[in-house]
């Protein structure tokens, strides 16, 4: 096929194919699909659409096994975001995405455009974004690049989200050497829409105009999807041109313009230009609508001179959307977008050919059947280890001799001062959590935002414990879902649905693929048991770096975003103690912990790693969560906090820090346990909550009736010579609130300001 593009492009060689991330076998599939050699434009399009980032070729087989349905699920995986019914004719729309590689290369823009991209996924479906969240993983604080990366990522998230006017209400930030050369930046957005006004991406109606809106196309982000689908080499900085550049002020205009047009009936389909830009948006729209698409590349708004169709199709310039309009509605739509000072151009039409056809300079520069690009893209059943084989490979050391604590108070201070548990206030203060005036809670078990104009509120959490997943992917996958479930229950929200961001290393390594497969198995089992379906998500593979000296894989990190509903936000629960002299209870499947396997105490205090991660009893999780919700809704508890990293002592300390009220821990009257004193205080056994009540509430009796364990372990209000603090009665160890707060605040303050 003689084309404008082929005249200026080099012939397709094996080296060029390799540069585009296609294997020889995949290139043979391209030749078969076309019945000829591709030109450079066509090769580039196959390259991005068959990348891991866009095609999910190593993960699709296993993702199909996840539970995605429930009576309240309006739209599950496959669209831009998941949609759930939240009552009163309203829907919550949400998704989590990764921007890992770009954030390592250029932390500010990488993180900022990650936020921008996930916002577009949500408002594309007709929702007004109401909350952002994130899940961040960094390497060792002492790593020479890490302070720069943390500062850049946090500034990027805050800089974009704050300008757009969407509050950041929750998140998690963790540190581990496995992320030294490959940090993780996972961004989540939640929006609200009318349930009967949801917009989808299926292009239909032969002859309907295809419209480009938003910012102009530049050369930033070309091959971003391909870059995100490969290991990092030593020359990571050389990939800087593949990182997109965002403009939050344009994004804000785009949100308002899209929502204004959505209030009419002019839109047939809409899709944001995310990974692979114009290529993925047009292919997905045509594929979903079982149609074809013709684009005139001369009409694409460009901000740089001499851009080729190859560059236009692969650019990942930000703040752009693609729409299919009803015929004759172009002028109406254009007026809206011009009012908001955005580009608007009719660049093509829907066809019935099931082909993508691109024209440039009056000639056809691309003609590809859509089937091979999307639905028939490669799908691999990668080899993976059995659970037993993986255990042998991981070589997780058993805890043959369980150590004991010599000083509960000193251990608590050390834990609270560690990077794992230190106050994230330095981070949180850079995010606007109150814009929109609907934020009800941050910094607790979950973020909570009011559904504007109603008594309802949405609770949002992000959770994962990668060290558990590494030690036992199946149990770790279960635990990630269960912790999200607990965090939502702890604020009084009924858990509804999950989004995820599945961050793993190279799937071509059987041990890594084993992590992925078994983690998904555990996640799926937990979602079914807890009636907590997965409605959207993202897979990020090849998260490992040669830049750190060879094959450094991240810990398996299936980050979970959970969303729940509070029917009346006046019943929302917080974790801070409310008064002195209130009994402190531990509620859950096991009252006192018996295991220190994979615990933070073991790692931080004893500098040891080993043991099995705590098992997750899903039936008990469901039963206990239901009981906690009943107690909150009936007003029988005054504070609730789930027990997770650091165990019971850390959870109690966090409740104390949130309130300024001391606490005395009295375990002598607690249920018998075979564990050590260290395990009782710092063990991370699952399915447990700390709650307070007033003295008249018969919590043990109520728990017994519900088939749930409840044990009184202390009382609020302890003071020593007028100083509130934490007292462990069994060891007579006292830690003042002032010392605890100083330890808790010290890490980020000293690291960032020192």
């Amino acid at each position: 096929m003689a084309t404008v593009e082929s005249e200026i492009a080099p012939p397709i060689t094996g080296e060029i194919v390799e540069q585009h991330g296609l294997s020889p076998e995949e290139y043979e599939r391209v030749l078969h699909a076309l019945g000829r050699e591709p030109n450079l434009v066509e090769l580039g399009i196959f390259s991005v659409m068959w990348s891991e980032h866009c095609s999910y070729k190593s993960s699709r087989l296993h993702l199909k096994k996840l539970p995605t349905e429930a009576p309240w699920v309006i739209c599950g995986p496959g669209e831009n975001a998941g949609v759930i019914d939240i009552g009163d004719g309203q829907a919550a729309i949400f998704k989590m995405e990764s921007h890992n590689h770009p954030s390592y290369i250029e932390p500010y823009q990488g993180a900022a455009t990650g936020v921008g991209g996930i916002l577009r996924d949500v408002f594309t479906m007709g929702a007004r974004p109401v909350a952002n969240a994130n899940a961040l993983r960094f390497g060792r604080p002492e790593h020479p690049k890490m302070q720069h990366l943390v500062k850049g990522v946090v500034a990027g998230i805050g800089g974009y989200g704050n300008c757009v006017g969407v509050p950041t209400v929750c998140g998690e930030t963790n540190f581990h050497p496995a992320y030294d050369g490959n940090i993780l930046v996972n961004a989540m957005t939640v929006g609200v829409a009318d349930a009967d006004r949801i917009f989808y991406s299926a292009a239909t109606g032969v002859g309907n105009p295809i419209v480009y809106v938003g910012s102009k196309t530049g050369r930033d982000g070309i091959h971003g999807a391909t870059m995100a689908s490969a290991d990092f080499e030593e020359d990571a900085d050389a990939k800087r041109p593949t990182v997109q550049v965002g403009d939050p002020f344009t994004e804000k205009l785009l949100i308002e313009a899209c929502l204004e047009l959505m209030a009419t009936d002019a839109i047939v389909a809409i899709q944001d230009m995310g990974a692979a830009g114009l290529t993925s948006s047009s292919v997905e729209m045509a594929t979903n609508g079982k149609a074809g698409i013709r684009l005139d590349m001369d009409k694409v708004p460009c901000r740089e001179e001499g851009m080729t169709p190859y560059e236009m199709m692969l650019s990942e310039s930000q703040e752009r959307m693609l729409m299919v309009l009803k015929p004759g509605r172009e002028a109406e739509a254009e007026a809206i977008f011009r009012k908001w000072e955005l580009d608007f151009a009719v660049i093509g039409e829907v066809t019935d050919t099931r082909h993508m056809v691109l024209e440039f300079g009056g000639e056809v520069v691309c003609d590809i059947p859509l089937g091979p690009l999307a639905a028939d893209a490669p799908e691999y059943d990668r080899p993976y280890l059995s659970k037993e084989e993986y255990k042998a490979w991981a070589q997780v050391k058993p805890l043959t001799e369980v150590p004991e604590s010599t000083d509960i108070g000193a251990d608590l201070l050390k834990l609270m001062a560690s990077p794992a548990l230190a106050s994230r206030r330095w981070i949180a203060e850079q995010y606007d959590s109150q814009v929109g005036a609907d934020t009800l809670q941050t910094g607790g078990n979950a973020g909570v935002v009011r559904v504007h104009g109603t008594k309802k509120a949405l609770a949002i959490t992000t959770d994962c414990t990668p060290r558990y997943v590494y030690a036992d992917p199946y149990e770790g996958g279960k635990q990630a879902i269960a912790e999200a479930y607990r965090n939502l229950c702890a604020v009084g929200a009924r858990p509804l649905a999950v989004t995820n961001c599945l961050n793993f290393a190279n799937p071509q390594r059987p041990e890594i693929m084993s992590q992925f497969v078994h983690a998904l198995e555990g996640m799926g089992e937990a979602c079914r048991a807890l009636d907590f379906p997965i409605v959207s998500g993202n897979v990020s593979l090849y998260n490992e770096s040669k830049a750190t000296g060879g094959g450094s894989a991240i810990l398996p990190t299936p980050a979970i975003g959970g969303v729940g509903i509070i029917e009346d936000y006046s019943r929302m629960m917080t974790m801070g103690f409310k008064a002195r002299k209130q009994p402190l209870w531990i509620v859950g499947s096991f009252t006192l912990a018996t295991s220190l396997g994979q615990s933070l105490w073991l790692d931080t205090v004893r500098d040891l790693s080993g043991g099995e991660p705590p098992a997750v009893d899903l039936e008990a999780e469901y039963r206990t969560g239901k009981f906690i919700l009943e107690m909150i809704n009936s007003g029988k508890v005054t504070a609730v906090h789930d027990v997770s990293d650091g165990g019971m002592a850390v959870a109690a300390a966090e409740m104390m820090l949130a309130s300024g009220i001391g606490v005395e821990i009295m375990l002598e009257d607690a249920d018998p346990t075979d564990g050590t004193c260290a395990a009782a205080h710092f063990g991370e056994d699952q399915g447990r909550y700390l709650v307070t009540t007033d003295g008249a509430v018969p919590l043990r009796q109520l728990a017994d009736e519900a088939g749930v364990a409840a044990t009184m372990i202390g009382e609020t209000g302890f003071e020593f010579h007028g100083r509130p603090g934490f007292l462990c009665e069994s060891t007579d160890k006292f830690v003042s609130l002032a010392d605890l707060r100083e330890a808790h605040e010290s890490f980020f303050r000293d690291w960032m300001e020192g």
Side-chain angles (χ1 to χ4, degrees):
M1 177 174 66
T3 68
V4 170
E5 189 69 15
S6 63
E7 290 171 6
I8 60 173
I12 305 302
T13 63
E15 183 180 2
I16 289 175
V17 171
E18 186 179 358
Q19 288 170 353
H20 282 75
L22 294 172
S23 69
E25 294 78 18
E26 288 170 343
Y27 185 62
E28 284 297 319
R29 292 185 63 157
V30 171
L31 295 176
H32 178 75
L34 293 177
R36 55 176 172 81
E37 281 199 352
N39 61 33
L40 191 62
V41 177
E42 293 165 334
L43 182 70
I45 288 170
F46 271 105
S47 164
V48 293
M49 291 304 300
W50 286 7
S51 68
E52 234 19 285
H53 195 80
C54 292
S55 75
Y56 292 55
K57 58 191 176 186
S58 297
S59 57
R60 285 205 316 271
L61 182 70
H62 303 285
L63 294 172
K64 295 171 185 174
K65 304 171 187 175
L66 293 172
T68 60
E69 297 179 347
W72 52 90
V73 174
I74 296 172
C75 177
E79 275 289 341
N80 288 288
V83 187
I84 56 173
D85 190 332
I86 58 171
D88 307 311
Q90 293 180 303
I93 300 179
F94 59 99
K95 189 181 180 184
M96 180 186 276
E97 274 247 5
S98 63
H99 231 218
N100 302 335
H101 286 28
S103 298
Y104 183 85
I105 298 166
E106 214 307 303
Y108 184 94
Q109 289 296 348
T113 53
V115 173
I118 198 63
L119 283 164
R120 287 193 299 280
D121 277 337
V122 168
F123 76 74
T124 293
M125 298 195 70
R128 178 170 292 280
V130 297
N132 286 335
N134 54 68
L136 313 176
R137 282 350 196 255
F138 297 103
R140 295 165 294 140
E142 60 270 24
H143 187 283
K145 284 191 71 168
M146 212 50 58
Q147 190 183 88
H148 163 73
L149 290 169
V150 172
K151 286 182 174 179
V153 165
V154 171
I157 292 171
Y160 204 101
N162 297 352
C163 293
V164 172
V166 179
T168 298
V169 300
C170 65
E172 55 174 349
T173 303
N174 294 115
F175 298 86
H176 191 279
Y179 306 101
D180 278 357
N182 198 127
I183 64 173
L184 302 184
V185 176
N186 295 173
M188 177 179 174
T189 293
V190 180
V192 175
D194 291 336
D196 61 353
R197 298 287 295 168
I198 308 299
F199 290 80
Y200 299 100
S201 61
T204 57
V206 175
N208 280 348
I210 296 171
V211 173
Y212 172 120
V213 300
S215 291
K216 288 181 168 62
T217 295
R219 291 188 170 95
D220 56 315
I222 293 174
H223 282 300
T226 310
M227 179 267 293
S229 305
D231 298 348
F232 269 159
E233 302 292 337
E234 291 84 350
D235 61 344
D237 285 343
K239 297 184 185 293
R240 196 175 300 271
T242 64
V243 178
Q244 310 92 329
V245 178
D247 179 353
F249 298 104
T250 300
E251 182 101 338
K252 176 62 175 173
L253 299 176
L254 189 59
I255 292 172
E256 298 303 330
C258 286
L259 292 177
E260 183 174 337
L261 184 59
M262 287 168 169
T264 73
D265 64 346
I267 298 175
V268 175
I270 182 169
Q271 178 80 14
D272 80 294
M273 296 193 212
L278 187 53
T279 292
S280 64
S281 57
S282 56
V283 169
E284 288 166 11
M285 289 178 78
T287 301
N288 292 342
K290 298 182 172 62
I293 194 163
R294 183 193 67 79
L295 301 180
D296 184 346
M297 305 307 294
D298 291 299
K299 294 181 179 177
V300 173
C302 293
R303 67 169 181 260
E304 299 184 45
E305 293 292 327
M307 289 192 68
T308 65
Y310 179 95
E311 293 170 325
M312 289 183 240
M313 293 302 292
L314 271 61
S315 166
E316 295 183 9
S317 295
Q318 298 291 287
E319 295 85 41
R320 302 179 299 157
M321 310 285 281
L322 200 64
M323 298 182 182
V324 177
L325 299 182
K326 292 180 179 177
R329 306 298 293 272
E330 297 94 327
E332 177 185 359
E334 182 172 8
I336 291 172
F337 282 90
R338 297 294 184 197
K339 181 184 77 173
W340 290 100
E341 300 180 347
L342 296 167
D343 274 279
F344 179 99
V346 178
I347 65 168
E349 62 181 5
V350 179
T351 69
D352 60 0
T353 64
R354 300 274 185 109
H355 277 231
M356 167 186 272
V357 177
L358 309 180
E359 297 175 1
F360 183 63
E363 296 186 30
V364 173
V365 296
C366 170
D367 188 346
I368 302 177
L370 286 165
L373 278 180
D376 301 328
E379 181 176 281
Y380 298 124
D381 186 1
R382 304 279 193 196
Y384 60 91
L385 307 180
S386 68
K387 290 177 183 174
E388 293 72 25
E389 290 169 332
Y390 177 81
K391 193 170 183 177
W393 173 84
Q395 295 183 326
V396 176
K397 298 176 182 176
L399 280 184
T400 51
E401 294 184 14
V402 181
E404 183 56 282
S405 174
T406 58
D407 189 332
I408 294 292
D411 290 357
L412 180 60
L413 281 172
K414 189 169 184 179
L415 277 166
M416 298 302 285
S418 71
L421 292 174
S423 168
R424 270 55 176 156
R425 187 161 62 90
W426 180 88
I427 295 174
E429 286 179 347
Q430 297 186 58
Y431 303 152
D432 189 341
S433 64
Q434 302 302 315
V435 64
D438 280 321
T439 303
L440 300 177
Q441 183 174 169
T442 63
N445 295 287
V448 183
V449 291
R450 175 171 47 209
V451 179
H452 197 76
T454 76
K455 293 293 289 181
K456 297 181 298 195
L458 292 170
I460 305 152
T461 184
T462 57
D463 298 284
C464 183
T465 313
R467 64 184 185 276
Y468 292 175
V469 187
Y470 180 85
D472 186 332
Y474 173 71
E475 284 295 333
K478 285 164 61 179
Q479 191 274 341
I481 296 292
E483 185 172 353
Y485 183 87
R486 283 198 302 275
N487 279 330
L488 296 174
C489 290
V491 297
R494 177 166 54 90
L496 290 178
V498 166
T499 185
N500 59 54
C501 199
L502 306 175
N503 308 272
F504 291 80
N506 188 335
Q508 297 177 59
R509 294 165 56 189
E511 63 273 16
I512 301 300
M513 200 63 206
S514 177
Q515 294 172 346
F516 184 86
V517 171
H518 300 313
L520 257 64
E521 184 184 351
M523 288 166 55
E525 185 174 333
C527 288
R528 281 184 281 269
L530 301 175
D531 213 8
F532 201 27
I534 295 173
V535 298
S536 61
N538 168 245
V539 178
S540 176
L541 301 177
Y542 295 95
N543 287 291
E544 53 186 85
S545 173
K546 297 181 178 66
T548 54
S552 172
I554 65 162
L555 294 180
T557 311
I560 302 301
V563 175
I565 185 76
I566 302 174
E567 300 294 347
D568 181 351
Y569 60 73
S570 67
R571 297 197 187 105
M572 178 188 74
M573 184 53 59
T574 57
M575 72 179 188
F577 299 139
K578 303 303 185 296
R580 302 176 73 247
K581 301 296 182 182
Q582 290 195 337
L584 176 67
W585 304 79
I586 190 163
V587 179
S589 54
F590 301 98
T591 51
L592 295 184
T594 60
S595 172
L596 289 166
Q598 299 301 321
S599 66
L600 275 182
W601 180 85
L602 197 68
D603 177 66
T604 303
V605 176
R606 289 305 182 100
D607 196 24
L608 295 171
S609 177
E612 297 292 329
V616 180
D617 182 337
L618 292 170
E619 289 184 8
E621 285 279 5
Y622 184 76
R623 190 166 57 247
T624 306
K626 189 175 177 182
F627 175 72
I628 291 292
L629 285 174
E630 288 172 356
M631 293 299 98
I632 292 172
N633 286 323
S634 61
K636 290 184 171 65
V637 293
T638 55
V640 179
H641 189 20
D642 81 302
V643 179
S644 55
D645 284 345
M648 175 272 294
V650 165
E654 289 172 340
M655 297 173 85
M656 185 175 76
L657 285 166
S659 62
I661 297 172
V663 64
E664 182 177 9
I665 303 297
M666 301 171 286
L667 301 184
E668 287 83 355
D669 300 326
D671 292 345
T673 175
D674 296 327
T676 64
C677 183
H681 286 83
F682 303 116
E684 297 172 8
D685 293 26
Q686 298 293 294
R688 303 180 299 154
Y689 302 77
L690 289 189
V691 306
T692 55
T693 61
D694 66 39
V697 174
L699 192 71
R700 185 189 287 272
Q701 179 186 334
L702 293 168
D704 285 345
E705 292 169 358
V708 173
T711 302
M712 197 177 94
I713 61 164
E715 186 180 76
T716 65
F718 184 84
E719 294 183 354
F720 182 70
H721 295 305
R723 295 187 299 155
F726 179 102
L727 176 69
C728 174
E729 190 183 68
S730 59
T731 60
D732 201 31
K733 297 295 183 181
F734 172 76
V735 180
S736 73
L737 174 64
D739 287 348
L740 195 66
R741 195 177 300 283
E742 168 61 23
H744 196 222
E745 297 284 346
S746 62
F747 168 70
F748 272 103
R749 182 196 64 209
D750 296 347
W751 190 39
M752 291 302 176
E753 298 174 9

